[in-house]
Amino acid sequence: GIRMDGAAHRVINCIISANDTGIEVNISGDTSGVVIANNTFAENTSKGFHYNPGYNGTSTKPFQFRNNILAQSQGHCIYISTNWALSGLDYCDYWTTGDAGVCWWYSHATSNTLGDWQSTSGLDAHSLSIDPLFADAANGDVHLVSSGGRWDPSANAGVGDWVVDAVTSLVIDAGDPASTYDQETVPNGGRINLGAYGNTAEASRSDIVPPELDAVTAGTSGTLTVSFNEPAARASAETIT
């Protein structure tokens, strides 16, 4: 995994998988320069993200922890070894299966679900807890499936190419609206994707389907009436209620 012992560290667009702990932050002072954004944490056996500032320190400013995907089947997505009030965590996807929980927080009850964590912490108001729909997590491919187009590095005899899936991940276009997305190819939905490929050329495309031409009818005085069918409904794998 990754261990951060000083201020002003940035971890962006990384895949952090198959460790005991994905990222551990050991900073007791000013954390305002710490940015952990658009990463995919997958199957780290104990902790996805561990905040361990030490009990005698004072966290003077929040850090940024946004647009990340944390997928755990054991342990916890977040593990906080302090009872300090925190801020800066939002717009993430915490996907837990098996015995995994969303957060263990020192001196607080364990948050097994995102709802528990939101109620206890007041954080992650815009975060999700849904299957991110990785293309092939078992073989290390954590691109997000999309009926609008997904980069498949194994396609085209290993050269890589865009492929189309039957369903679309709901963490596409689910990032912080203030985050830059200009490196994502079109259609990109005008919003950054969660995970390691957000705001990169390999970001999965939005499933924006243009209207289909229905009919062209000739009118009087040389006019034409063009009608379109509404685009098909989004092909998503699940419904958020």
Side-chain angles (χ1 to χ4, degrees), residues 222-237:
T223 61
L224 294 175
T225 300
V226 181
S227 59
F228 295 89
N229 292 321
E230 289 295 320
R234 177 174 179 158
S236 59

Side-chain angles (χ1 to χ4, degrees), residues 10 42-44 51 69 75 81 91 94 101 105 108 117 169 173 177 183 194 206 227 229 240:
R10 298 164 62 88
E43 293 304 330
N44 295 290
Y51 184 51
I69 297 173
S81 301
Y91 292 101
Y94 303 102
W105 188 5
H108 295 75
W117 166 238
S169 167
D173 302 334
Q183 298 302 306
L194 299 188
S206 305
S227 59
N229 292 321
I240 300 176

Side-chain angles (χ1 to χ4, degrees), residues 171-217:
V171 302
I172 292 172
D173 302 334
D176 186 343
S179 297
T180 301
Y181 60 86
D182 61 297
Q183 298 302 306
E184 298 188 6
T185 60
V186 293
N188 55 37
R191 188 166 171 177
I192 196 170
N193 295 352
L194 299 188
Y197 296 104
N199 197 35
T200 74
E202 294 187 20
S204 295
R205 293 170 174 164
S206 305
D207 62 348
I208 299 173
V209 182
E212 296 179 353
L213 180 64
D214 179 48
V216 179
T217 306

Side-chain angles (χ1 to χ4, degrees), residues 39-42 48-49 65 68-72 76-78 92-96 132 134:
N39 302 290
T40 296
F41 300 72
F49 170 61
F65 189 85
N68 300 297
I69 297 173
L70 298 93
Q72 295 278 134
H76 295 85
C77 295
I78 307 171
C92 293
D93 180 30
Y94 303 102
W95 175 239
T96 59
F134 297 135

Side-chain angles (χ1 to χ4, degrees), residues 73-94:
S73 61
Q74 55 187 318
H76 295 85
C77 295
I78 307 171
Y79 194 94
I80 304 172
S81 301
T82 178
N83 61 358
W84 300 343
L86 301 174
S87 60
L89 288 78
D90 206 358
Y91 292 101
C92 293
D93 180 30
Y94 303 102

